[in-house]
Amino acid sequence: MEVFKQSLMDTYHAEGVEFDWPCNVRIDEDMVVIEYLDDQEPIIYRGSSSGPGHYRLQKDGGRGDATLHRFPGGKILEGFWIEDVQQGMWRIRLEN
């Protein structure tokens, strides 16, 4: 399993764009876990592989679904998310 403790997430949604949101990422061929803080509240999305480099995720303890995609050996995860009534895209730059 690869662990990226100093990754940075960009989110794009109707209210605007947020850049360089710190997050932790754990990823392997079968699963991915994204962890970050939002207003000091821990948010966790976790999911499983639906094909090489393709992941479907759900938010722990809440209403949230997402996708992430990664090229083999790539340092970028990209995808779509929907949480409650908001939706948008996200990009995560994987950094140790």
Side-chain angles (χ1 to χ4, degrees):
M1 173 170 290
E2 296 177 276
V3 178
F4 301 95
K5 293 183 179 181
Q6 298 185 23
S7 296
L8 297 172
M9 174 175 56
D10 303 333
T11 59
Y12 306 85
H13 46 85
E15 288 77 35
V17 179
E18 297 176 50
F19 293 105
D20 298 334
W21 200 274
C23 64
N24 296 324
V25 178
R26 295 184 312 235
I27 190 170
D28 65 24
E29 292 177 9
D30 298 321
M31 60 155 292
V32 64
V33 178
I34 311 296
E35 301 172 303
Y36 60 94
L37 293 176
D38 187 13
D39 293 330
Q40 301 306 314
E41 178 183 337
I43 306 294
I44 300 172
Y45 273 84
R46 66 179 78 236
S48 58
S49 173
S50 62
H54 302 282
Y55 302 90
R56 297 188 66 84
L57 300 88
Q58 291 189 321
K59 182 180 176 185
D60 282 4
R63 293 183 3 197
D65 293 296
T67 62
L68 282 170
H69 309 281
R70 178 185 183 198
F71 286 105
K75 295 292 186 181
I76 300 285
L77 287 165
E78 294 180 307
F80 177 81
W81 57 265
I82 185 166
E83 189 172 305
D84 295 320
V85 296
Q86 292 186 332
Q87 61 182 1
M89 296 175 7
W90 57 348
R91 175 181 295 150
I92 300 172
R93 296 182 309 281
L94 301 172
E95 297 289 339
N96 293 333

